[in-house]
Amino acid sequence: MSSVDMETIVSLCKRRGFIFQSSEIYGGAGGCWDYGPLGVELKRNVKEAWWKAMVHDRDDVVGLDASILMNPQVWVASGHVQQFSDPLVDCKACKNRFRADHLKETKCPDCGGELTEPRMFNLMFKTFMGPVENDAAVVYLRPETAQGIFVNFQNVMSTSRRKLPLGIAQVGKSFRNEITTGNFIFRSREFEQMEMEYFVKPGTDDHWFQHWLEQRFNWYVKLGIRKDNLRLRPHEKEELAHYAKGCYDVEYLFPMGWSELEGIANRGSYDLEQHSKFSGKDLSVFEEESKERFVPYVIEPSAGVDRSVLAFLLDSYHEEVVEKEKRVVLRLHPALAPIKAAVLPLSRNEKLVPMVTQVHASIRGCFMTQYDDSQSIGRRYRRQDEVGTPYCVTIDFQSLEDKQVTIRDRDSLHQIRIPTDVLRATLLAKLAGEDFDVLPPGGSLVSSAKS
Ligand code: GAP
């Protein structure tokens, strides 16, 4: 299990500007969260890492950004209007509401009162499109990004001049009026998804299903999540949607136990068939080689951005004692770290300013940096450790003489001293995975002492 409890992460996130309660000064908005200056960088990095692995690094996947508001018929065709519901019970005494399928007892868990019979509650948020607020104007905030992909399948297929297998990837907000939110950003009412629908010829679907199970599990591992904290769990028969041929969850060992990070499903041809039926448009494809016409099957890896952010925070959190003091460090993968390098002058002495400005200018623009000259150098190192900054660059009085700066490694605490003119290339190499102790021309190991 991640070695840290949820309260510690919630408190770090608030204190250091990763994540705040939404509308906090008004008492909050249930199940909604705001990402602060560091949180927004971390979240963007998670989405970029996903986009790179799913779109940029592949020849068989393209991107899409569909609108959140769609024709309401989409949600009739997809089954969400009829079926996207949870069973809900009310306490007759205290009036609190619960999901019937989450309750272990038959009485109200808050006051012991009697509960109503379960009734179905649709999780889609409704609003009105246009100036008239009547039934004909009802539209929904999308509860998943996937349907925007299915309804654009024909557009993308014909304009991108691709053959099957073809994946369409999308990242964006989704909304669910969850009855029970909780566990910080794990279950919220407004969240982001990273979804990809991979369209294949029927008969090749089992092969691609296996392919995506491996790819998606390994994505988390490559970005630093410990294998022991990850597992692939097959869905039981009764958990499967009636159309799904198979489904696995990538689960992470969160402080509340194993819980879903991502679902990977073989959805068969259900979605395209449904949209064909309701729109009247033929969504089959013709394969030149075999002269066959068929409706493609779909393999869907569907991940949550916020849950991934939470797993990366939990898994990277470490506490250790360095020189008799507690050090908190987020060992985030460099690709995810909000700040890649901090520039720290040893003191605020004005003699250092021109060189510090020059050094900072030489690396900003390549990646996210932060300049910090307040408090002691030790405290500044600790602050950067706590937010996961992989490298700190220190400029001291000796730097004015020898035109060299010191780089400190967050994880090993080793320090190297290198000429300023190779700083940018050195940092880029280390961020790309080069061993920290590999020295550039003119560089030297300062110390391997912990500080
Ligand atoms: N298109 C398939 C689909 O939406 P899902 O299992 O309902 O499948 C996919 O959602 C992922 O979206 C989940 O694995 C989870 O990471 C994320 N997710 C779903 N509901 C969420 C919520 N209320 N809060 C945060 N993330 C959520």
Side-chain angles (χ1 to χ4, degrees):
M1 191 181 298
S2 55
S3 49
V4 56
D5 56 32
M6 198 72 95
E7 291 68 40
T8 307
I9 287 294
V10 174
S11 141
L12 171 75
C13 283
K14 161 111 208 235
R15 194 160 29 87
R16 302 311 313 272
F18 280 92
I19 300 166
F20 310 119
Q21 199 187 5
S22 163
S23 334
E24 194 182 312
I25 59 169
Y26 287 99
C32 299
W33 298 92
D34 295 345
Y35 287 76
L38 293 179
V40 72
E41 294 296 333
L42 172 58
K43 197 181 186 202
R44 281 170 64 109
N45 293 341
V46 168
K47 291 186 279 185
E48 267 167 34
W50 185 88
W51 196 262
K52 181 176 178 324
M54 301 297 276
V55 183
H56 290 183
D57 291 353
R58 298 186 66 107
D59 293 326
D60 54 354
V61 182
V62 293
L64 179 77
D65 186 7
S67 62
I68 288 173
L69 300 175
M70 302 175 77
N71 186 308
Q73 275 301 99
V74 169
W75 306 109
V76 179
S78 68
H80 283 82
V81 169
Q82 305 90 318
Q83 283 158 17
F84 194 56
S85 310
D86 282 336
L88 192 77
V89 288
D90 291 300
C91 171
K92 290 182 182 168
C94 70
K95 309 291 179 212
N96 284 343
R97 279 188 173 167
F98 308 94
R99 267 182 66 167
D101 53 338
H102 282 181
L103 286 182
K104 289 191 184 78
E105 55 282 84
T106 51
K107 297 278 180 201
C108 170
D110 288 352
C111 74
E114 198 186 330
L115 297 170
T116 60
E117 283 301 307
R119 61 198 167 79
M120 295 314 275
F121 171 79
N122 194 290
L123 300 186
M124 283 196 294
F125 280 98
K126 280 184 194 168
T127 186
F128 301 98
M129 190 174 266
V132 184
E133 295 194 2
N134 61 19
D135 285 353
V138 166
V139 290
Y140 302 96
L141 299 190
R142 69 179 177 202
E144 61 173 21
T145 66
Q147 298 304 323
I149 299 178
F150 295 127
V151 301
N152 275 293
F153 170 66
Q154 213 174 42
N155 280 338
V156 175
M157 203 58 196
S158 58
T159 54
S160 61
R161 298 159 54 86
R162 304 280 180 134
K163 287 188 193 163
L164 298 187
L166 174 68
I168 306 178
Q170 170 159 238
V171 177
K173 290 258 178 169
S174 293
F175 304 83
R176 297 183 189 177
N177 197 3
E178 300 280 2
I179 298 160
T180 343
T181 57
N183 287 314
F184 194 28
I185 52 173
F186 179 83
R187 191 181 305 285
S188 50
R189 295 197 167 103
E190 175 178 338
F191 55 96
E192 272 189 276
Q193 290 184 308
M194 308 181 281
E195 297 199 290
M196 199 271 291
E197 307 301 326
Y198 196 73
F199 299 91
V200 304
K201 184 176 182 181
T204 64
D205 48 311
D206 288 341
H207 161 76
W208 287 112
F209 188 48
Q210 284 307 320
H211 171 86
W212 284 110
L213 289 179
E214 278 165 35
Q215 293 289 312
R216 293 306 306 144
F217 186 89
N218 290 338
W219 183 77
Y220 295 99
V221 176
K222 274 189 211 147
L223 286 171
I225 302 248
R226 281 163 286 179
K227 260 192 179 163
D228 291 351
N229 288 340
L230 273 182
R231 73 176 185 193
L232 273 169
R233 185 185 67 81
H235 276 207
E236 304 292 337
K237 266 231 161 70
E238 44 291 356
E239 279 181 276
L240 280 180
H242 62 92
Y243 51 82
K245 274 187 73 183
C247 187
Y248 276 73
D249 283 346
V250 182
E251 293 189 333
Y252 178 72
L253 194 47
F254 286 95
M256 66 280 189
W258 287 104
S259 310
E260 176 185 342
L261 261 182
E262 166 163 356
I264 301 158
N266 181 345
R267 300 175 68 110
S269 59
Y270 175 78
D271 305 276
L272 291 183
E273 301 270 14
Q274 284 293 101
H275 287 301
S276 271
K277 194 165 120 192
F278 280 76
S279 68
K281 300 282 185 306
D282 178 10
L283 299 179
S284 65
V285 297
F286 182 71
E287 192 183 55
E288 267 312 322
E289 294 79 21
S290 63
K291 307 285 180 227
E292 283 178 76
R293 179 165 283 285
F294 53 82
V295 178
Y297 274 22
V298 174
I299 311 299
E300 176 194 69
S302 170
V305 177
D306 312 78
R307 286 188 193 177
S308 301
V309 165
L310 184 56
F312 287 123
L313 284 168
L314 287 161
D315 218 72
S316 63
Y317 183 94
H318 286 82
E319 283 181 15
E320 58 189 35
V321 175
V322 176
E323 291 183 347
K324 297 188 189 146
E325 264 186 47
K326 181 170 120 178
R327 176 171 99 116
V328 171
V329 53
L330 288 187
R331 294 192 204 278
L332 286 168
H333 188 285
L336 302 182
I339 300 163
K340 311 297 183 199
V343 176
L344 314 175
L346 192 69
S347 83
R348 279 182 166 161
N349 189 304
E350 61 186 30
K351 283 193 189 141
L352 290 178
V353 173
M355 183 167 180
V356 171
T357 311
Q358 201 187 7
V359 166
H360 193 192
S362 75
I363 57 168
R364 76 182 324 166
C366 299
F367 39 74
M368 181 72 182
T369 60
Q370 188 175 68
Y371 174 82
D372 185 5
D373 66 359
S374 62
Q375 298 185 308
S376 74
I377 192 74
R379 293 188 79 150
R380 283 181 274 160
Y381 281 153
R382 293 290 180 273
R383 274 208 294 271
Q384 296 298 334
D385 291 341
E386 211 186 8
V387 301
T389 306
Y391 304 111
C392 288
V393 178
T394 310
I395 297 108
D396 53 26
F397 291 100
Q398 181 66 26
S399 305
L400 300 177
E401 309 293 319
D402 62 10
K403 303 284 177 274
Q404 297 217 342
V405 292
T406 304
I407 313 180
R408 168 188 179 271
D409 179 42
R410 174 197 73 197
D411 295 336
S412 66
L413 294 174
H414 289 184
Q415 297 190 10
I416 57 175
R417 200 158 168 89
I418 62 160
T420 49
D421 55 6
V422 294
L423 175 64
R424 185 160 79 168
T426 305
L427 285 174
L428 284 169
K430 307 290 177 210
L431 288 166
E434 184 185 73
D435 194 280
F436 185 74
D437 293 350
V438 172
L439 295 169
S444 54
L445 184 67
V446 176
S447 79
S448 50
K450 301 209 156 195
S451 65

